[in-house]
């Protein structure tokens, strides 16, 4: 699964223990799906999870905010993960991401089935978009009302990716452990020689 | 489990490749996605070892066991199908036949459609699956040719706009009507635009050719409200699903849908359900059953609810069956089974399916050649980027190809070539009629500049932008003021379009008589109802059934460019 | 009114073959629905509705062409003509999964029967209440 091309980044996620509700009002919680950066190493279009996470975190930090990464094993449902992340977040803002790349920004006071921003078309999400998603999450956390990240659409994504997306979803669901508590992670992203 | 790497993607750099491989890699078909089968989770078209075996046991006319499951273990679909869809009186005799014997009844032209129905009404979901499993696609097409409910095939188009521009929707609706579509469907980018766009679709449709039926795909309750007001003419996006979990996720049950079917009929409005292979596995809840088995359960829920018809053929999940072996065979089998249980079938071909023109066409042939009630349940009458149903298998750029294929094979695809002057006149008239109606109702104005632009335009990019906030205010006022179809009739008459007003009133009058509530009903341009009751499919082998002839065949012979036999230096008038 | 024996081959479409059998809810024949009548206000949106009697006739046509379930649907529809639009939507919403308790569904069924003589619809709702209970999809 791991392409060790020179310059490629590796991702190491170390479990620190149960994730607790944050007290810092300047934090954004990034919630990872059960198999993100674990069984799976890249999105549906092959963007490495190491790079995805790096851009999301950089987007948050460039706004002077703090990012905390949490693994959610209890569900592979994006809205559930994003909402749970928001509820752990000291600012009330969370980002949820599935292994295939589908991403959502959520806020703890919204209904679970609602959201601040949703990026449903995983095949169209590139590194620049992930950076912008991190940035917008941080700006919501600061109490700003940023312009939503421009959404893209491609009707031909369906014939190309629909079945693979279904496989990825089913596979990710196999890693769900109902009732599992969220776990806080240390993130190590290294550049391979 | 290995997941096939996406085609057209990075390949090991070092190894030299043949020039031919390089060329093949660049073919559009290699942009499509293909996956391996995985029957345990339902990623399999129609041949899963985990599908149940067909069987039935009755006690005092009640189904107590079906497809190997006892009544007390029935989920809600089993229960609904057993109690409402299956004709217990016919079941014993029908289930005694082997799958091959039933398949022979389907294919043999000497066995009448009515005889097949007397058997099919007693079959369980698993038995229907076993029947089509014995059939190849040519046999299925033979069967579909006979089992389609309406004798005369028809077609449906999408008319939408990326900017929800009502002027565009009206003009494209008029053109689509003129080209032969008898049903038109729209939906929205911004849902609040719905009332304006639904009015535009209705006005455009009736200006193009009278009697075209229109609908606006929305959330169930809103769709019903627009129908009750007479702004739309029928409904279709009433989705049903093949497992209990996914049905509940869709916030419905077979009983709520059956009630909704009666609700539409109680207002005299035609409606059909929608379902298709792949939706359950897509949502990760296929219960380890094949896509077709689950779809057959949907078909029988529609049958049991007493709704006259069904849109199926995978529909919005076409990328899923399209990616597995025999998936497109399964999609044909869906259409065939809907017809075999005597439902109107609007047979898909309505969603972006392939990057390859060759594959798009191959996917279409099994519905086009035998003919169905609606060959496309959404031929896009607008460019792909304007299609708010996420694209179709057929686009307006395909109009001429379609007309040529009809003429080549003498197969009626229900469309025709129309000279440009007539199309421009219809587009202009539709936009002017809408301008008049909006002015009459005090809605956001339509300028002459917009009308000029839309007459010659292909898509929304070529149109002046509308004042969206004003439009949305108008849309809200349509709902708040309780505007109905009759107000549109008055507006058309007042603004100098009495014939369009007459056509719309004619469509509205239909809901008083209820003739359109019957299976496969459409209105002809003369506003006569044509359904499986008075236009029943009578195919019985060579020389029988519907064959394009007479005036219709002469119409099909016309194309954009045909060299004149009388004077080969010229082309035939078009 | 005497029950009418219809022959689908002879009598369908009713609008053109048996127009004398069809009335709007306000008692007008189809021919009275004209542009002039619409403009003068003699015909209103209330006229553009189907009557229970017409639905029963169409149900008969459906059944005599072998379409039992469609016939049943049209007979349920005949009952629902008496319900106002909001009531129809309310019953539909109550039938959605986890939207109503068993008691609520049974009360709706009783009301349909008592206030609207909608016995077929009441039967459908009672059946739903039973199945929803077995399958655990009632409101808690």
């Amino acid at each position: 699964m791991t392409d060790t091309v020179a310059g490629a980044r590796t991702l190491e996620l170390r479990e620190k223990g149960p994730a607790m509700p944050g007290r810092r009002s300047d934090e954004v919680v990034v919630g990872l799906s059960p198999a993100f950066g674990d069984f799976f190493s890249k999105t549906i279009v092959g963007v490495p999870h190491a790079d995805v996470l790096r851009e999301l975190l950089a987007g948050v930090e460039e706004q002077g905010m703090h990012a905390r990464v949490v693994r959610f094993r209890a569900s592979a449902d994006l809205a559930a993960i994003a909402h749970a992340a928001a509820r752990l977040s000291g600012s009330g803002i969370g980002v949820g991401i599935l292994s295939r790349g589908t991403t959502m920004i959520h806020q703890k006071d919204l209904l679970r089935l609602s959201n601040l921003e949703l990026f449903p078309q995983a095949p169209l999400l590139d590194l620049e978009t992930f950076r912008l998603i991190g940035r917008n999450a941080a700006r919501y956390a600061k109490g700003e009302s940023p312009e939503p990240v421009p959404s893209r659409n491609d009707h031909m994504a369906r014939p190309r990716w629909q079945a693979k997306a279904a496989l990825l979803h089913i596979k990710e669901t196999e890693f769900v452990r109902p009732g599992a508590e969220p776990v806080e992670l240390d993130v190590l992203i290294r550049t391979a020689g | 489990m290995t997941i096939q790497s996406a085609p057209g993607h990075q390949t090991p750099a070092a190894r030299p490749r043949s020039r031919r491989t390089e060329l093949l890699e660049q073919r559009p078909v290699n942009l499509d996605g293909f996956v391996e089968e995985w029957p345990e989770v339902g990623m399999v078209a129609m041949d899963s070892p985990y599908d149940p075996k067909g069987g039935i046991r009755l006690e005092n006319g009640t189904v107590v066991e079906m497809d190997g499951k006892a009544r007390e273990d029935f989920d809600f679909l089993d229960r609904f199908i057993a109690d409402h869809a299956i004709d217990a009186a016919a079941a014993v005799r029908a289930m005694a036949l082997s799958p091959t014997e039933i398949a022979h009844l389907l294919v043999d032209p000497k066995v009448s459609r009515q005889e097949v129905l007397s058997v099919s009404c007693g079959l369980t979901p698993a038995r229907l699956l076993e029947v089509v499993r014995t059939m190849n696609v040519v046999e299925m097409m033979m069967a579909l040719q006979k089992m389609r409910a309406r004798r005369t095939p028809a077609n449906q188009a999408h008319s939408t706009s990326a900017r929800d521009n009502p002027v565009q929707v009206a003009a494209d609706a008029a053109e689509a009507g003129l080209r032969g579509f008898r049903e038109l469907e729209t939906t929205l980018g911004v849902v609040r635009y719905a009332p304006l766009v639904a009015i535009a679709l209705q006005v455009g449709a009736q200006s193009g050719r009278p009697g075209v039926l229109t609908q606006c795909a929305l959330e169930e309750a809103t769709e019903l409200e627009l129908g009750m007001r007479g702004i739309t003419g029928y409904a279709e996006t009433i989705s049903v699903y093949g497992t209990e979990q996914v049905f509940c996720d869709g916030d419905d049950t077979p009983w709520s849908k059956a009630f909704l079917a009666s609700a539409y009929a109680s207002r005299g409005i035609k409606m059909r359900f929608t379902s298709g292979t792949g939706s359950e596995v897509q949502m990760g809840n296929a219960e380890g059953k094949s896509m077709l088995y689950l779809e057959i359960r949907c078909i029988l829920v529609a049958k049991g609810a007493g709704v006259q018809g069904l849109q199926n053929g995978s529909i919005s999940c076409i990328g899923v069956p399209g990616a597995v072996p025999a998936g497109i065979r399964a999609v044909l089998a869906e259409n065939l089974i809907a017809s075999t249980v005597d439902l109107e079938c609007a047979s898909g071909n309505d969603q972006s399916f392939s990057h390859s023109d060759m594959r798009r066409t191959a996917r279409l042939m099994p519905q086009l050649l035998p003919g169905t009630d609606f060959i496309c349940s959404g031929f896009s009458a607008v460019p792909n980027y304007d299609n708010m149903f996420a694209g179709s298998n057929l686009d307006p750029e395909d109009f001429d190809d379609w007309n040529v294929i009809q003429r080549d094979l003498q197969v009626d695809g229900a469309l025709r070539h129309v000279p440009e002057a007539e199309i421009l006149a219809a587009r202009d008239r539709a936009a002017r009629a809408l301008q008049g109606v909006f002015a009459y109702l005090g809605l956001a104005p339509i300028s002459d500049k917009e009308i000029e632009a839309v007459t010659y335009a292909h898509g929304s990019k070529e149109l002046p932008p509308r004042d969206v906030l004003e439009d949305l205010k108008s849309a809200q006022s349509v709902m708040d003021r309780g505007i109905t179809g009759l107000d549109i009739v008055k507006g058309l008459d007042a603004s100098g379009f009495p014939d369009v007003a007459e056509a719309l009133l004619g469509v509205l009058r239909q809901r008083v008589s209820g003739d359109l509530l019957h299976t496969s009903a459409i209105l002809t341009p003369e506003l006569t109802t044509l359904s499986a009751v008075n236009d029943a499919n009578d195919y019985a082998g060579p020389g029988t059934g519907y064959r394009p002839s007479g005036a219709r065949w002469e119409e099909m012979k016309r194309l954009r460019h045909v060299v004149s036999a009388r004077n080969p230096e010229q082309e035939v008038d078009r | 009114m005497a029950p009418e024996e219809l022959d689908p081959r002879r009598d369908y479409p009713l609008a053109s073959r048996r127009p004398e059998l069809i009335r709007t809810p306000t008692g007008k024949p189809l021919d009275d629905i004209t542009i002039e009548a619409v403009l003068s206000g003699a015909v209103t949106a209330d006229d553009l509705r189907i009557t229970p009697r017409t639905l029963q006739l169409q149900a008969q046509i459906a059944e005599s062409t072998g379409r039992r379930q469609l016939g049943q649907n049209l007979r349920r529809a005949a009952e629902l003509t008496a319900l106002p639009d909001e009531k129809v939507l309310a019953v539909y919403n109550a039938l959605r999964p986890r939207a109503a308790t068993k008691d609520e569904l049974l009360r709706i069924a009783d009301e349909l029967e008592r206030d609207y003589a909608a016995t077929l619809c009441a039967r459908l709702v009672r059946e739903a209440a039973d199945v929803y209970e077995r399958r655990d999809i009632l409101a808690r």
Side-chain angles (χ1 to χ4, degrees):
Chain A
M1 291 291 280
T2 45
D3 311 287
T4 41
V5 185
R9 293 187 182 83
T10 61
L11 174 64
E12 194 183 331
L13 298 168
R14 275 192 210 141
E15 303 206 348
K16 291 207 299 190
M20 297 297 167
R23 291 202 189 84
R24 297 174 61 162
S25 63
D26 67 342
E27 80 169 358
V28 170
V29 171
V30 176
L32 306 183
S33 65
F36 186 100
D38 184 21
F39 177 83
F40 290 118
S41 63
K42 49 195 177 191
T43 71
I44 189 166
V45 285
V47 183
H49 285 169
D51 295 342
V52 170
L53 205 49
R54 183 171 180 270
E55 294 300 322
L56 276 175
L57 300 183
V60 173
E61 281 153 15
E62 73 180 33
Q63 291 291 311
M65 303 294 275
H66 172 73
R68 188 156 63 106
V69 179
V70 175
R71 162 94 62 206
F72 292 88
R73 285 208 175 81
S75 173
D77 176 74
L78 180 60
I81 293 169
H83 196 229
R87 277 181 299 153
L88 283 184
S89 167
S91 68
I93 298 296
V95 176
I97 181 162
L98 302 181
S99 296
R100 65 179 184 273
T102 320
T103 304
M104 181 188 280
I105 308 177
H106 219 313
Q107 205 263 332
K108 74 171 175 11
D109 297 328
L110 292 174
L111 289 175
R112 188 169 64 82
L113 288 176
S114 176
N115 62 69
L116 288 172
E117 291 187 47
L118 168 64
F119 307 88
Q121 288 231 26
L124 302 176
L125 300 182
D126 54 15
L127 291 175
E128 190 193 340
T129 310
F130 285 115
R131 182 107 171 189
L132 293 173
I133 294 169
R135 178 185 302 170
N136 263 17
R139 293 189 59 192
Y140 288 116
K142 287 199 270 186
E144 298 175 16
S145 305
E147 282 276 308
V149 177
S151 65
R152 292 157 66 198
N153 200 0
D154 174 11
H155 295 161
M156 296 315 283
R158 172 169 29 215
R160 183 157 187 179
W161 304 110
Q162 192 173 28
K164 185 175 177 184
L167 281 183
L168 292 172
H169 175 63
I170 292 165
K171 198 75 200 168
E172 179 131 84
T173 306
E174 289 185 350
F175 292 88
V176 170
R177 301 287 170 265
E181 294 297 325
V183 177
E184 189 146 341
L185 302 175
D186 253 341
V187 178
L188 285 129
I189 300 169
R190 291 197 200 84
T191 308
Chain B
M1 179 65 205
T2 54
I3 296 167
Q4 211 173 309
S5 74
H9 258 253
Q10 72 276 22
T11 42
R15 204 150 36 87
R17 303 192 87 175
S18 88
R19 176 78 185 117
R20 186 163 301 159
T21 302
E22 278 175 17
L23 287 171
L24 287 170
E25 280 287 357
Q26 282 158 22
R27 295 286 290 182
V29 77
N30 282 315
L31 288 171
D32 292 353
F34 303 99
V35 303
E36 209 179 6
E37 289 163 300
W38 187 4
E40 287 76 9
V41 301
M43 187 61 86
V44 59
M46 58 190 287
D47 263 307
S48 167
Y50 304 103
D51 285 331
K53 247 181 85 60
I56 201 163
R57 205 160 61 78
L58 293 131
E59 271 173 24
N60 307 320
T62 300
V63 179
V64 294
E65 193 183 307
M66 184 173 76
D67 297 341
K69 208 191 265 185
R71 189 174 174 91
E72 52 270 26
D73 299 326
F74 281 0
D75 64 21
F76 68 35
L77 286 113
D78 296 319
R79 168 80 184 259
F80 192 84
I81 290 166
D83 291 358
H84 295 277
I86 294 176
D87 189 338
V92 176
R93 187 179 74 91
M95 291 296 288
L97 298 169
S98 75
T100 328
E101 285 172 311
I102 299 166
H104 274 265
L105 299 179
L106 276 165
V107 176
D108 184 350
K110 292 199 176 117
V111 178
S112 73
R113 181 172 190 273
Q114 209 54 44
E115 284 174 81
V116 177
L117 294 182
S118 72
V119 170
S120 64
C121 68
L123 298 179
T124 65
R127 180 55 46 85
L128 282 162
L129 176 66
E130 288 162 351
V131 170
V132 289
R133 270 193 195 169
T134 69
M135 301 168 79
N136 64 31
V137 291
V138 177
E139 290 154 354
M140 288 188 203
M141 284 197 270
M142 277 293 289
L144 186 51
Q145 166 163 258
K146 177 170 80 182
M147 295 314 297
R148 170 181 87 235
R150 192 191 327 105
R151 187 174 191 272
T152 315
N155 219 333
Q156 184 201 97
H158 291 158
S159 183
T160 58
S161 162
R163 294 184 187 160
D164 298 315
N165 185 327
V167 192
Q168 180 192 4
V169 170
D172 281 322
E175 177 174 341
L178 205 56
R179 288 181 179 276
F181 295 100
R182 297 315 293 162
E183 280 188 356
L184 297 177
E185 172 182 28
T186 195
T187 194
L188 293 308
V190 177
V191 176
R192 283 177 296 156
Y193 248 113
L196 283 200
V197 170
I199 290 174
L201 186 73
Q202 182 67 278
V203 168
Q206 303 315 321
S207 347
R209 231 175 165 199
V212 172
L213 300 180
T214 66
Q215 64 131 337
C216 182
L218 291 164
E219 188 277 322
E220 271 78 355
T222 324
E223 189 164 334
L224 178 60
E225 186 175 355
L226 285 181
M228 284 170 167
R229 286 179 184 222
I231 293 176
T232 51
Y234 76 104
E236 172 177 80
T237 42
I238 316 297
S239 302
V240 291
Y241 301 98
T243 66
E244 207 173 74
Q245 178 68 49
V246 177
F247 220 130
C248 286
D249 288 348
D251 207 14
D252 269 297
T253 74
W255 286 266
S256 67
K257 290 295 190 189
F259 184 84
L260 198 56
S262 308
Y264 273 100
S266 75
R267 268 55 180 172
I269 305 167
K270 168 177 178 164
M271 75 100 99
R272 69 172 71 91
F273 283 177
T274 292
S275 61
T277 48
S279 57
E280 298 83 9
V281 64
Q282 157 105 346
M283 299 202 211
N285 266 304
E287 298 175 358
K289 303 295 190 295
S290 71
M291 300 179 202
L292 185 58
Y293 171 72
L294 297 180
E295 171 56 19
I296 294 171
R297 284 162 45 105
C298 296
I299 295 169
L300 290 184
V301 165
K303 177 74 186 172
V307 63
Q308 63 81 30
L310 181 68
Q311 164 182 237
N312 78 353
S314 193
I315 313 303
S316 58
C317 292
I318 189 68
V320 180
V324 297
I328 298 310
R329 173 173 167 244
V331 169
L332 167 58
E334 298 179 47
N335 300 143
L336 172 60
I337 293 170
S339 301
T340 297
V341 300
D342 200 23
L343 294 172
E344 172 194 60
C345 179
S347 58
N349 282 305
D350 62 338
Q351 298 276 313
S352 303
F353 164 65
S354 175
H355 295 78
S356 152
D357 290 342
M358 192 185 276
R359 192 163 180 244
R360 287 198 296 129
T361 312
R363 184 254 173 281
L364 163 70
M365 288 298 119
Q367 289 76 31
L368 176 65
L369 297 185
T372 69
D373 294 312
F374 295 91
I375 296 160
C376 298
S377 49
F379 186 129
S380 185
V382 294
N384 185 275
Y385 73 82
D386 268 322
N387 191 306
M388 299 315 282
F389 292 102
S392 172
N393 191 39
L394 281 307
D395 292 319
E397 292 86 342
D398 301 319
F399 281 146
D400 288 357
D401 290 79
W402 184 285
N403 291 332
V404 170
I405 292 169
Q406 289 187 145
R407 181 183 186 266
D408 284 344
L409 301 176
Q410 199 170 353
V411 158
D412 196 340
L415 301 188
R416 59 178 184 172
H417 173 71
V418 183
E420 189 188 19
E422 284 177 45
I423 285 175
L424 294 179
R427 294 182 69 92
D428 172 81
R429 222 166 97 75
R432 284 190 194 287
L434 189 69
Q435 182 186 44
V437 169
F438 275 22
Y440 175 85
L441 295 173
L443 306 176
I446 294 169
S447 69
D448 288 345
K449 197 171 134 243
E450 284 181 88
I451 293 174
E452 164 98 7
V454 84
T455 303
Y456 295 94
H458 178 49
S460 63
K461 287 178 187 163
E462 294 137 43
L463 302 178
R466 300 216 11 112
D467 185 334
V468 174
L469 289 181
E470 276 306 304
D471 273 351
L472 291 177
K473 255 190 254 166
S474 294
Q476 189 57 46
S477 91
V478 169
M479 297 316 279
D480 294 346
R481 287 151 65 201
I483 285 171
T484 69
L486 278 189
D487 296 312
I488 306 174
V489 171
K490 290 177 195 165
L492 285 166
D493 189 81
S495 47
F497 297 90
D499 56 331
V500 186
E502 191 67 62
L504 176 53
L505 185 61
V507 171
L508 291 171
R509 203 187 276 129
Q510 288 295 322
R511 58 181 62 191
V512 179
S513 68
D515 291 321
L516 282 177
L517 300 177
H518 287 281
T519 308
S520 307
I522 53 173
L523 279 178
T524 68
E526 297 73 37
L527 300 188
T528 306
T529 307
L530 213 57
S531 76
V533 178
N534 62 340
D535 188 39
N537 188 2
D538 56 358
Y539 179 81
T544 68
Y546 178 83
R547 281 151 210 268
S549 59
R552 172 58 185 150
W553 176 224
E554 292 310 310
E555 183 175 74
M556 284 166 62
K557 290 178 185 173
R558 287 199 274 279
L559 298 175
R560 194 175 298 280
H561 300 288
V562 178
V563 173
S564 162
R566 199 169 302 163
N567 180 358
E569 287 189 336
Q570 291 180 359
E571 287 187 350
V572 177
D573 270 355
R574 51 196 159 79
Chain C
M1 50 193 155
E4 193 73 35
E5 276 302 316
L6 293 176
D7 174 357
R9 285 165 186 276
R10 190 190 60 208
D11 298 322
Y12 179 90
L14 295 181
S16 51
R17 301 283 182 84
R18 299 298 301 275
E20 77 281 6
L21 294 178
I22 299 178
R23 288 286 181 278
T24 74
T26 55
K28 297 187 187 73
L30 273 180
D31 281 350
D32 281 13
I33 304 176
T34 61
I35 292 283
E36 295 69 38
V38 170
L39 296 179
S40 74
V43 160
T44 68
D46 289 337
D47 287 298
L48 292 179
R49 292 178 72 142
I50 192 163
T51 65
R53 180 171 147 77
T54 305
L55 278 162
Q56 299 286 5
L57 294 175
Q58 296 291 9
Q60 207 191 109
I61 287 179
E63 282 154 5
S64 60
T65 47
R67 301 189 170 100
R68 174 174 65 90
Q69 291 92 343
L70 177 57
Q72 276 294 299
N73 181 25
L74 298 179
R75 292 190 191 282
R76 285 195 301 268
E79 296 178 348
L80 292 183
T81 53
L83 274 69
D85 293 355
E86 315 77 65
K87 186 79 205 166
V88 169
L89 283 171
V91 177
Y92 167 59
N93 282 324
L95 283 169
R96 292 183 190 248
R98 299 188 184 88
T101 63
K102 187 167 189 189
D103 278 352
E104 284 164 346
L105 286 175
L106 294 178
R107 265 203 305 275
I108 289 170
D110 291 345
E111 185 192 348
L112 285 169
E113 214 158 36
R114 190 185 59 233
D115 298 351
Y116 303 100
T119 50
L120 296 173
C121 291
R123 192 189 302 164
L124 187 80
V125 173
R126 286 196 186 104
E127 185 186 311
D130 171 48
V131 177
Y132 292 8
E133 183 175 41
R134 285 167 195 268
R135 303 303 301 169
D136 196 21
I137 51 164
L138 290 163
R140 289 167 212 265

